C-alpha cells in the first residue's frame, strides 16, 4: 500500500488538479492520499471538501492541517500521519501521469 502526500499552500486550484490526477491513477486497487494544508488560516478546506465529495471509493483521502509555515513542516506532519510502508510526494503545482503510482510500487 502507498500514500501519496500533497502539501499545499494557498493554491486551491492547483491542489484540485494535483489530487484529481491521483484520482485518475490506473493499476492501483487501493491507496491513500494525504493532503497537508500548510496555510495557518486553513485556506484549502473548501477544496478539500470538494475533493472528499469526488473521491473514488478505492482511495482513502485524509487531510492534515500544519499551520507552521514551510514545506518541511508540511511533509513532516504528513509523515507523522502515514501508516503505509511506501510514500510518494506530489506538489500542488504538479499533476501525476496516470500510471505514476503503479510504476512506483
Amino acid at each position: 500500500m502507498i500514500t501519496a502526500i500533497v502539501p499545499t499552500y494557498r493554491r486551491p486550484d492547483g491542489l484540485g488538479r494535483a489530487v484529481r490526477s491521483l484520482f485518475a491513477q490506473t493499476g492501483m486497487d487501493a491507496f491513500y492520499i494525504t493532503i497537508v494544508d500548510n496555510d495557518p488560516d486553513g485556506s484549502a478546506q473548501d477544496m478539500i471538501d470538494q475533493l472528499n465529495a469526488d473521491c473514488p471509493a478505492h482511495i482513502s483521502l485524509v487531510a492534515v492541517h500544519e499551520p507552521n509555515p514551510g514545506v518541511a513542516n508540511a511533509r513532516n506532519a504528513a509523515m507523522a500521519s502515514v501508516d503505509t510502508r511506501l510514500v510518494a510526494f506530489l506538489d500542488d503545482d504538479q499533476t501525476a501521469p496516470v500510471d505514476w503510482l503503479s510504476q512506483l510500487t
Side-chain angles (χ1 to χ4, degrees), residues 14-98:
L15 174 63
R17 281 189 298 276
V19 172
R20 285 188 174 92
S21 76
L22 294 171
F23 289 172
Q25 293 297 294
T26 59
M28 299 295 297
D29 291 333
F31 62 95
Y32 295 88
I33 299 172
T34 298
I35 298 170
V36 184
D37 185 355
N38 199 209
D39 182 0
D41 297 328
S43 62
Q45 191 58 55
D46 288 342
M47 179 55 68
I48 291 168
D49 292 343
Q50 289 177 31
L51 293 167
N52 265 321
D54 297 339
C55 188
H58 70 285
I59 300 171
S60 296
L61 182 65
V62 175
V64 175
H65 183 224
E66 175 49 64
N68 296 311
V71 70
N73 291 327
R75 289 179 177 157
N76 288 337
M79 291 301 293
S81 73
V82 169
D83 289 328
T84 59
R85 187 174 63 84
L86 299 174
V87 172
F89 289 93
L90 184 69
D91 290 337
D92 64 359
D93 61 350
Q94 299 175 307
T95 57
V98 295

